[in-house]
Amino acid sequence: MGAAHSSATCLSSPATTNIPRCYLFHRVSKPSSNSSSIPTIYLHLQKPTSNFISQNHYSLKSPCSSSKIVPLSCARVRLMETQEGSASKPVIDFHGIDEELIQKMAYDALVWSSLHGLVVGDKSVQRSGKVPGVGMVHAPFALLPVAFPENHWKSACEVAPVFNELIDRVSLDGNFLQDSLSRTKKVDVFTSRLLDIHSKVLEMNKTEEIRLGLHRSDYMLDEQTKLLLHIEINTISSSFPGLSCLVSDLHRSLLKRYGEHLGLDSKRIPSNTTVNRFADALAKAWTEYNNPRAAVMVVVQPEEHNMYDQHWLCAALKEKHNVTAIRKTLAEIDKEGELLPDGTLLVGGQAIAVVYFRTGYAPTDYPSEAEWRARLLMEQSLAIKCPSISYHLAGTKKIQQELAKPNVLERFLENKEDITKLQKCFAGLWSLDDSDIVKRAIERPELFVMKPQREGGGNNIYGDDVKENLLRLQREGNEEDAAYILMQRIFPIVSPMFLVRNGICHKDHAVSELGVYSAYLRNKDKVIINDQCGYLMRTKVSSSNEGGVAAGFAVLDSMYLT
Amino acid sequence: MGAAHSSATCLSSPATTNIPRCYLFHRVSKPSSNSSSIPTIYLHLQKPTSNFISQNHYSLKSPCSSSKIVPLSCARVRLMETQEGSASKPVIDFHGIDEELIQKMAYDALVWSSLHGLVVGDKSVQRSGKVPGVGMVHAPFALLPVAFPENHWKSACEVAPVFNELIDRVSLDGNFLQDSLSRTKKVDVFTSRLLDIHSKVLEMNKTEEIRLGLHRSDYMLDEQTKLLLHIEINTISSSFPGLSCLVSDLHRSLLKRYGEHLGLDSKRIPSNTTVNRFADALAKAWTEYNNPRAAVMVVVQPEEHNMYDQHWLCAALKEKHNVTAIRKTLAEIDKEGELLPDGTLLVGGQAIAVVYFRTGYAPTDYPSEAEWRARLLMEQSLAIKCPSISYHLAGTKKIQQELAKPNVLERFLENKEDITKLQKCFAGLWSLDDSDIVKRAIERPELFVMKPQREGGGNNIYGDDVKENLLRLQREGNEEDAAYILMQRIFPIVSPMFLVRNGICHKDHAVSELGVYSAYLRNKDKVIINDQCGYLMRTKVSSSNEGGVAAGFAVLDSMYLT
């Protein structure tokens, strides 16, 4: 799924135009009552100094130079409580935290990030996506964790193994995958190519005995319904297992130092060990494969500015488990890869135990037939694929929409409690052949998002465009409607936050999205791992509308349990 | 002393022209016998891949694009032994280490550096010397540690406390400092300003009860004499206490992974904990000052690309000792500083317990009177200065030359063994009023280096220029000769090494210099700390001559005991 791509792109230059999964951050039509009182503020970081403003440090050019620059007012952080209690509107009020304190914290946070490897490649620097160690910049981060209700966090953790199991069951039902995607296949070349590989694998009658999933389920807290709604599960290339842990550590470190001033307790940031849990899962899969000389292969993009996130995972794999990982692009795998008669995958002469995808989820990842050949080669091998083609397909939007239909979950899961848990968090998802919902979406387009099957595009449709596109599809009457699904539009809680990007601290209204990592490993009938593994919180300014998503400002964040 | 400046500059762009302390890396007129067989090789790092060369990765532009690019031959590392045994010529032979192995190691090393904060600001990126977290690049490093005889390492450690004591004793003898520098004062404005401050402090009749020194003694192993010769002691702004430890960790990590292939054992890299030892010393000094609300103040340059080295030290100070450090430039101290009647130094309203200089050693650090006022203000305060003006003066070249004269050490030290230890490691140092030595230097200029008192200049004079300048000074007959000393030219061992800079691995002949950190803390009669604290190894290509020093290639290194 486009998660990895989306995130990496969102975290890059504001001028980037290709922002997939922009629906993560819907335009919020109902800003909270205090929104107008919060100006956009750019703190141009120098050394912390008490007379920061007076020293003309603002002469440093801001990437958003049109924004008004004013000092913050002074006050202390408090937890806001609504009539319904903190769980219903958990917001850390950043109004008027002492300006000097913010400066100190931001400076310390930037230092911490630099010393502790919370870094990405800076797209403005040549070679920064190819050569490690050059052109590094701190990963964008929120200065403080986002308040989050503990009960919702617990529910999301509880449901993670159920999602894991669901994906595994769905992936086993080849006919369900092929049938559900049959209309999409006609209008979406990318899905069609994935289905072709899936068909070939089905024809081989090959049993994937060892199955590894490293997923991330994404959620938003809907302000209206007070529900934590599931947006999607990413079964391929879930990004930030490495850096997300570091952001939790960063916030814990800041609260240890400044928490007393802020009235915040570092212990309320839940433990986040995704990188170690994912490394454990990869190592256990490697062990199940049972060839001590085989390696884990990370399938990477030719240029990867989020490489350090991946390197953290490989470092944990090596240091904790002494398992070696190699990095290969799809083109390299096509060139260097071969299948031995026994099904062993060799790449550059190296036997591969586990294939871990950090690319391959978007059409742009397959610029030529070489990449498709590589994908098929891996799929035909005995190597453990994370994910296999069937796991990949099980995570597509269309399949998730199918699973949200009445009585479909029952086809894959027996436990009624599990089914209820899943259904409770599903947002509304509909096919465009549901004429009632299409009619309603034309009437109230602001309540819906039109989502293309295509990943990695940033082609989500909002507002009046939903209405116009639905009317156009009705007029044209062709199969193109199969390329889309409709999703309930989520209106997340908006709160003022401090976002730090490219060395600049910026205060704005923002919305947050929770990602819950999970790992699943099964060998034949033996389920070896089925666990929640940690979390990713992402925060983005809420003011970007559909057209302006490219100017978005997404940062890594952690959570503060309330 | 210019150590910090020198190192930071040497580690920056090859195009930089201002490289102080270039005498660290003399032109080696007698290259080892195998020198002609080692081409200069640039490995343009991509992902490690077995057919690296064939994939046109060399198309990435090298900063030294004129260098010939050829693959390395294959062989394994071994320790070279000469007739005199390994201690006399300890060289890890890097001839023909397997090319693929080098690529893998360099890639892993670059990743390690990025994840573990072995970074500096990249001068080519705006704001990288001001704002942490932006424009980072790995610190330049040697891929493998340099072989070093254990006996020499032990001697250097043993003599460190003696040097500490010597500096303290010399600093107490105001007349010795003033007298020794009286001629220099007439021709060197900078030394003159330092002496003025020193005089004012003497007039105040102020007793510095708490005295803190964080020194670094620099040595080179002379190939001819087989002696470890002392080059200088840096009593101000000794750089790299933070990053040097990380390079030792990096090398240990590489040898743990690849040592078996290389025949090298990671345990032979001595423990290097400078950053913690220096933090301990600063914290203990802070404790002696005995004001829980006071801070340590790091005096910094307005732009500092080596800031992460300093941040590591401050992080250790905070995390291990909960002592807060603030960062101020000399100009800021002039603006925000004040002296309370009781001698307390306040900067921006913050009481200062310890002033730790990471600037202030070169004329360029004092662009206006403001900086000199700041220096005097601090000197007049009760804050513990690291270093005080007298420690600073005690570390000047002229004083070190005076100390090398017969019977001068005896004036400051009682213990004859200690005196012998020091004398054993002193290189030849002479004043230009020694006519015999001037005559000899005119006859054999290749055996001498002419060193200016002025720090931070890169004005050292070598070869025929020594002769010409000495003859000129004789003709002119003015006092200018007091601006220089003569030093025995050291011919260090040259060995082929892999140097990694800006993401590029480069093989060349190189020479290494050892720096031994030491800490000294005394409160009245009580010596609280007097210890060796760790080491810095620096390695530089040996082929740069005097004129070409600006193209130099100095990298951080560690040592492999033989």
Side-chain angles (χ1 to χ4, degrees):
Chain A
M1 312 275 288
H5 191 188
S6 161
S7 310
T9 314
C10 285
L11 290 173
S12 75
S13 163
T16 306
T17 52
N18 178 25
I19 308 268
R21 280 175 74 245
C22 48
Y23 62 84
L24 291 181
F25 300 109
H26 305 159
R27 182 169 188 275
V28 177
S29 53
K30 301 184 300 172
S32 63
S33 59
N34 50 18
S35 68
S36 61
S37 66
I38 299 178
T40 302
I41 291 160
Y42 291 88
L43 300 178
H44 300 250
L45 286 167
Q46 298 273 344
K47 292 182 301 299
T49 153
S50 58
N51 48 2
F52 189 79
I53 305 296
S54 66
Q55 296 189 352
N56 290 326
H57 284 158
Y58 289 133
S59 61
L60 277 174
K61 203 159 185 180
S62 157
C64 308
S65 52
S66 64
S67 302
K68 198 179 165 192
I69 292 163
V70 297
L72 301 174
S73 59
C74 285
R76 287 170 66 87
V77 172
R78 63 190 169 83
L79 289 180
M80 288 178 76
E81 305 270 344
T82 65
Q83 290 94 324
E84 292 103 330
S86 66
S88 63
K89 195 181 178 184
V91 175
I92 298 176
D93 177 22
F94 294 121
H95 266 297
I97 301 181
D98 180 67
E99 177 212 331
E100 198 182 349
L101 184 61
I102 291 294
Q103 289 163 25
K104 274 188 189 166
M105 284 175 60
Y107 190 91
D108 283 359
L110 287 169
V111 168
W112 194 98
S113 303
S114 311
L115 302 187
H116 295 88
L118 179 50
V119 294
V120 294
D122 181 345
K123 287 193 178 174
S124 71
V125 180
Q126 227 192 344
R127 301 189 299 145
S128 60
K130 290 199 177 258
V131 182
V134 305
M136 289 178 284
V137 62
H138 72 92
F141 58 82
L143 190 55
L144 287 166
V146 62
F148 199 85
E150 190 165 8
N151 58 340
H152 280 313
W153 164 233
K154 281 187 178 163
S155 318
C157 291
E158 270 173 29
V159 82
V162 186
F163 270 116
N164 284 345
E165 199 180 339
L166 177 65
I167 291 294
D168 189 59
R169 299 284 179 90
V170 169
S171 77
L172 290 169
D173 192 338
N175 290 338
F176 174 77
L177 291 173
Q178 290 280 344
D179 291 350
S180 303
L181 291 163
S182 60
R183 279 195 70 222
T184 308
K185 182 176 174 146
K186 290 180 193 165
V187 291
D188 187 315
V189 178
F190 182 65
T191 307
S192 171
R193 295 298 300 258
L194 294 177
L195 285 166
D196 287 346
I197 292 175
H198 183 244
S199 298
K200 280 182 188 151
V201 176
L202 286 180
E203 281 162 26
M204 282 175 73
N205 216 5
K206 189 166 146 285
T207 325
E208 297 279 340
E209 289 181 341
I210 309 173
R211 307 164 72 82
L212 174 65
L214 296 176
H215 308 316
R216 196 189 67 225
S217 272
D218 292 334
Y219 297 87
M220 270 189 168
L221 203 48
D222 189 63
E223 193 175 21
Q224 275 190 300
T225 59
K226 317 293 178 207
L227 292 174
L228 185 69
L229 293 178
H230 188 254
I231 291 164
E232 68 172 353
I233 185 164
N234 303 286
T235 59
I236 182 168
S237 192
S238 300
S239 59
F240 296 115
L243 298 192
S244 61
C245 306
L246 288 173
V247 179
S248 302
D249 291 344
L250 164 65
H251 284 161
R252 222 172 275 119
S253 155
L254 286 173
L255 292 197
K256 272 180 194 159
R257 191 171 297 188
Y258 298 103
E260 214 172 308
H261 296 281
L262 298 166
L264 298 173
D265 176 6
S266 66
K267 294 190 189 74
R268 302 297 299 166
I269 298 170
S271 160
N272 196 6
T273 56
T274 314
V275 71
N276 288 332
R277 306 294 298 277
F278 269 25
D280 292 349
L282 285 165
K284 278 193 177 149
W286 177 86
T287 305
E288 292 298 315
Y289 187 83
N290 199 23
N291 175 359
R293 281 180 299 181
V296 168
M297 177 170 70
V298 185
V299 189
V300 296
Q301 295 184 338
E303 208 165 335
E304 177 58 87
H305 290 89
N306 196 24
M307 68 169 90
Y308 304 102
D309 178 52
Q310 301 166 3
H311 287 313
W312 273 116
L313 184 55
C314 295
L317 191 59
K318 185 71 190 176
E319 278 158 31
K320 283 189 69 187
H321 305 283
N322 201 25
V323 173
T324 299
I326 63 169
R327 295 167 64 82
K328 293 285 176 186
T329 63
L330 285 166
E332 286 168 341
I333 293 162
D334 177 56
K335 204 169 170 183
E336 304 169 21
E338 57 180 313
L339 266 193
L340 297 189
D342 69 352
T344 300
L345 175 65
L346 294 186
V347 179
Q350 167 70 60
I352 305 300
V354 182
V355 179
Y356 171 54
F357 282 90
R358 289 300 291 264
T359 183
Y361 48 82
T364 47
D365 296 331
Y366 300 83
S368 75
E369 284 303 308
E371 288 79 12
W372 285 114
R373 279 195 303 269
R375 182 75 192 259
L376 179 62
L377 183 82
M378 291 185 280
E379 213 58 49
Q380 289 170 330
S381 79
L382 280 184
I384 302 164
K385 273 78 64 182
C386 177
S388 64
I389 191 75
S390 56
Y391 267 46
H392 185 173
L393 290 170
T396 56
K397 292 194 179 74
K398 179 65 189 169
I399 294 300
Q400 294 186 43
Q401 174 255 303
E402 285 292 317
L403 292 171
K405 279 184 179 171
N407 305 318
V408 178
L409 285 180
E410 285 79 355
R411 184 167 163 182
F412 301 104
L413 300 172
E414 299 83 33
N415 186 314
K416 287 204 173 137
E417 270 183 46
D418 285 350
I419 292 170
T420 309
K421 276 182 197 166
L422 288 180
Q423 282 168 336
K424 207 177 143 190
C425 69
F426 276 176
L429 284 166
W430 304 276
S431 159
L432 264 66
D433 53 18
D434 181 334
S435 58
D436 285 349
I437 213 73
V438 169
K439 187 170 169 247
R440 184 159 159 70
I442 289 170
E443 285 165 7
R444 298 289 306 274
E446 72 279 10
L447 300 180
F448 294 86
V449 188
M450 237 175 115
K451 296 166 78 172
Q453 291 304 321
R454 182 75 51 97
E455 300 289 338
N459 296 315
N460 285 358
I461 297 168
Y462 301 84
D464 282 346
D465 292 342
V466 171
K467 180 178 165 186
E468 278 167 32
N469 274 280
L470 289 174
L471 289 171
R472 180 181 59 80
L473 290 171
Q474 281 186 340
R475 275 197 310 275
E476 292 171 1
N478 57 21
E479 298 266 8
E480 197 199 324
D481 63 341
Y484 297 92
I485 62 163
L486 276 169
M487 183 173 158
Q488 166 194 354
R489 187 156 172 181
I490 302 170
F491 295 96
I493 291 167
V494 179
S495 22
M497 298 195 202
F498 289 97
L499 316 178
V500 184
R501 184 189 176 86
N502 202 20
I504 296 165
C505 184
H506 160 249
K507 189 185 185 190
D508 213 333
H509 283 101
V511 293
S512 296
E513 180 191 15
L514 171 68
V516 177
Y517 294 103
S518 62
Y520 185 84
L521 177 64
R522 175 162 72 78
N523 190 350
K524 294 175 192 162
D525 289 340
K526 190 178 152 206
V527 176
I528 298 160
I529 301 174
N530 185 13
D531 270 334
Q532 175 271 123
C533 291
Y535 66 94
L536 168 72
M537 191 66 90
R538 272 174 299 180
T539 290
K540 187 177 175 280
V541 290
S542 60
S543 56
S544 66
N545 59 20
E546 297 76 43
V549 161
F553 194 131
V555 300
L556 299 174
D557 206 342
S558 77
M559 72 169 96
Y560 188 91
L561 293 181
T562 60
Chain B
M1 312 275 286
H5 191 188
S6 160
S7 310
T9 313
C10 284
L11 292 171
S12 73
S13 160
T16 305
T17 51
N18 178 26
I19 308 268
R21 281 176 74 246
C22 48
Y23 62 84
L24 292 181
F25 301 108
H26 306 158
R27 183 166 188 275
V28 177
S29 52
K30 300 184 303 173
S32 62
S33 59
N34 50 20
S35 69
S36 61
S37 65
I38 299 177
T40 301
I41 292 159
Y42 291 88
L43 300 178
H44 299 250
L45 285 167
Q46 300 272 342
K47 291 186 302 300
T49 152
S50 59
N51 48 2
F52 189 80
I53 306 296
S54 65
Q55 295 187 354
N56 289 327
H57 285 159
Y58 288 134
S59 60
L60 277 174
K61 203 159 183 182
S62 156
C64 308
S65 53
S66 64
S67 302
K68 197 178 166 192
I69 292 163
V70 298
L72 301 174
S73 59
C74 286
R76 288 170 66 89
V77 172
R78 63 190 169 83
L79 290 180
M80 286 177 77
E81 307 268 344
T82 64
Q83 291 95 323
E84 292 102 331
S86 66
S88 63
K89 195 182 176 183
V91 175
I92 298 176
D93 177 21
F94 294 123
H95 265 297
I97 301 180
D98 181 68
E99 177 211 332
E100 196 181 351
L101 184 60
I102 290 294
Q103 289 163 24
K104 272 188 190 166
M105 284 176 59
Y107 190 91
D108 283 359
L110 287 168
V111 168
W112 194 98
S113 303
S114 311
L115 303 187
H116 295 87
L118 179 50
V119 295
V120 294
D122 182 345
K123 288 195 176 174
S124 70
V125 181
Q126 228 193 341
R127 300 189 299 146
S128 60
K130 290 197 177 262
V131 183
V134 306
M136 289 178 284
V137 62
H138 72 93
F141 57 82
L143 189 56
L144 287 167
V146 61
F148 198 85
E150 189 164 8
N151 57 339
H152 280 312
W153 164 234
K154 281 186 177 164
S155 317
C157 291
E158 270 173 31
V159 83
V162 186
F163 269 116
N164 284 345
E165 200 180 337
L166 176 65
I167 291 294
D168 189 58
R169 298 285 179 91
V170 169
S171 76
L172 289 170
D173 192 338
N175 291 337
F176 175 77
L177 291 174
Q178 289 282 343
D179 293 349
S180 302
L181 291 163
S182 60
R183 281 194 70 220
T184 309
K185 182 175 174 145
K186 291 181 192 165
V187 292
D188 188 316
V189 179
F190 181 66
T191 307
S192 173
R193 295 298 302 256
L194 294 177
L195 285 168
D196 288 346
I197 291 175
H198 183 245
S199 298
K200 280 181 189 152
V201 175
L202 286 181
E203 282 161 26
M204 283 175 71
N205 216 4
K206 189 166 148 281
T207 326
E208 299 277 341
E209 290 181 341
I210 310 173
R211 308 164 72 81
L212 174 65
L214 297 176
H215 309 315
R216 196 189 66 226
S217 273
D218 292 334
Y219 298 87
M220 271 190 168
L221 203 50
D222 187 63
E223 195 176 18
Q224 275 189 300
T225 60
K226 318 294 179 205
L227 292 174
L228 185 68
L229 293 178
H230 189 254
I231 292 164
E232 69 172 351
I233 184 163
N234 303 286
T235 59
I236 182 167
S237 192
S238 300
S239 58
F240 297 115
L243 298 191
S244 61
C245 306
L246 289 173
V247 178
S248 302
D249 291 345
L250 164 65
H251 284 161
R252 222 172 275 119
S253 155
L254 286 173
L255 291 198
K256 273 181 192 157
R257 190 171 297 188
Y258 298 104
E260 213 172 310
H261 296 281
L262 297 166
L264 297 174
D265 176 6
S266 66
K267 293 189 190 75
R268 302 295 301 165
I269 298 171
S271 159
N272 196 5
T273 57
T274 314
V275 72
N276 288 332
R277 305 293 298 277
F278 270 25
D280 294 349
L282 286 165
K284 278 193 177 147
W286 178 87
T287 304
E288 292 298 315
Y289 187 82
N290 199 23
N291 174 358
R293 281 180 299 181
V296 168
M297 178 169 71
V298 185
V299 189
V300 295
Q301 295 185 338
E303 208 166 335
E304 177 58 87
H305 290 89
N306 196 23
M307 68 169 90
Y308 304 102
D309 178 52
Q310 301 166 3
H311 288 313
W312 273 115
L313 184 55
C314 295
L317 192 59
K318 184 72 191 175
E319 277 158 32
K320 282 189 70 188
H321 305 283
N322 201 27
V323 173
T324 300
I326 63 169
R327 293 167 66 82
K328 294 285 176 187
T329 64
L330 286 167
E332 285 167 343
I333 293 162
D334 177 56
K335 202 169 172 182
E336 303 169 24
E338 56 180 315
L339 264 194
L340 297 190
D342 69 351
T344 300
L345 175 66
L346 294 185
V347 178
Q350 167 70 60
I352 304 301
V354 182
V355 179
Y356 171 55
F357 283 90
R358 288 301 291 263
T359 183
Y361 49 82
T364 47
D365 296 332
Y366 300 82
S368 74
E369 285 304 307
E371 288 79 11
W372 285 114
R373 279 196 303 269
R375 182 75 192 260
L376 180 61
L377 182 83
M378 291 184 281
E379 213 57 47
Q380 289 170 330
S381 79
L382 281 183
I384 302 164
K385 274 77 64 182
C386 178
S388 64
I389 190 75
S390 56
Y391 267 47
H392 185 172
L393 289 172
T396 56
K397 291 193 182 74
K398 179 64 189 171
I399 295 299
Q400 295 187 43
Q401 175 255 304
E402 285 292 318
L403 293 171
K405 279 185 179 170
N407 305 316
V408 178
L409 285 181
E410 284 78 355
R411 182 168 165 180
F412 301 103
L413 300 172
E414 298 85 33
N415 186 316
K416 288 205 173 136
E417 269 183 46
D418 285 351
I419 293 170
T420 310
K421 276 182 197 166
L422 288 180
Q423 282 168 336
K424 205 176 145 192
C425 70
F426 277 176
L429 284 167
W430 305 273
S431 159
L432 265 64
D433 52 18
D434 181 335
S435 57
D436 286 349
I437 214 74
V438 169
K439 188 170 168 242
R440 185 161 158 70
I442 289 169
E443 286 164 6
R444 298 287 306 274
E446 72 279 9
L447 299 180
F448 294 85
V449 188
M450 237 174 115
K451 296 166 77 174
Q453 292 305 321
R454 183 75 51 95
E455 301 288 339
N459 296 315
N460 285 357
I461 297 169
Y462 300 84
D464 282 347
D465 293 341
V466 170
K467 181 179 165 186
E468 280 166 31
N469 274 279
L470 290 174
L471 289 170
R472 180 181 58 80
L473 290 171
Q474 281 185 341
R475 275 197 311 275
E476 293 171 359
N478 58 20
E479 298 266 11
E480 198 199 324
D481 63 341
Y484 297 92
I485 61 163
L486 277 170
M487 184 174 159
Q488 164 194 358
R489 186 156 173 180
I490 302 170
F491 295 96
I493 292 167
V494 179
S495 21
M497 299 196 201
F498 289 97
L499 315 178
V500 184
R501 183 190 176 86
N502 201 21
I504 296 165
C505 184
H506 160 247
K507 188 184 185 191
D508 212 333
H509 284 100
V511 293
S512 295
E513 181 191 15
L514 170 67
V516 177
Y517 294 102
S518 63
Y520 184 84
L521 176 64
R522 176 162 71 80
N523 191 348
K524 294 176 193 160
D525 289 340
K526 191 178 152 205
V527 176
I528 298 159
I529 301 174
N530 184 13
D531 270 335
Q532 174 272 125
C533 292
Y535 67 94
L536 167 72
M537 192 66 91
R538 273 174 298 181
T539 290
K540 186 178 176 280
V541 290
S542 60
S543 56
S544 66
N545 60 21
E546 297 76 42
V549 161
F553 194 132
V555 301
L556 299 174
D557 206 341
S558 77
M559 73 169 97
Y560 187 90
L561 294 181
T562 60

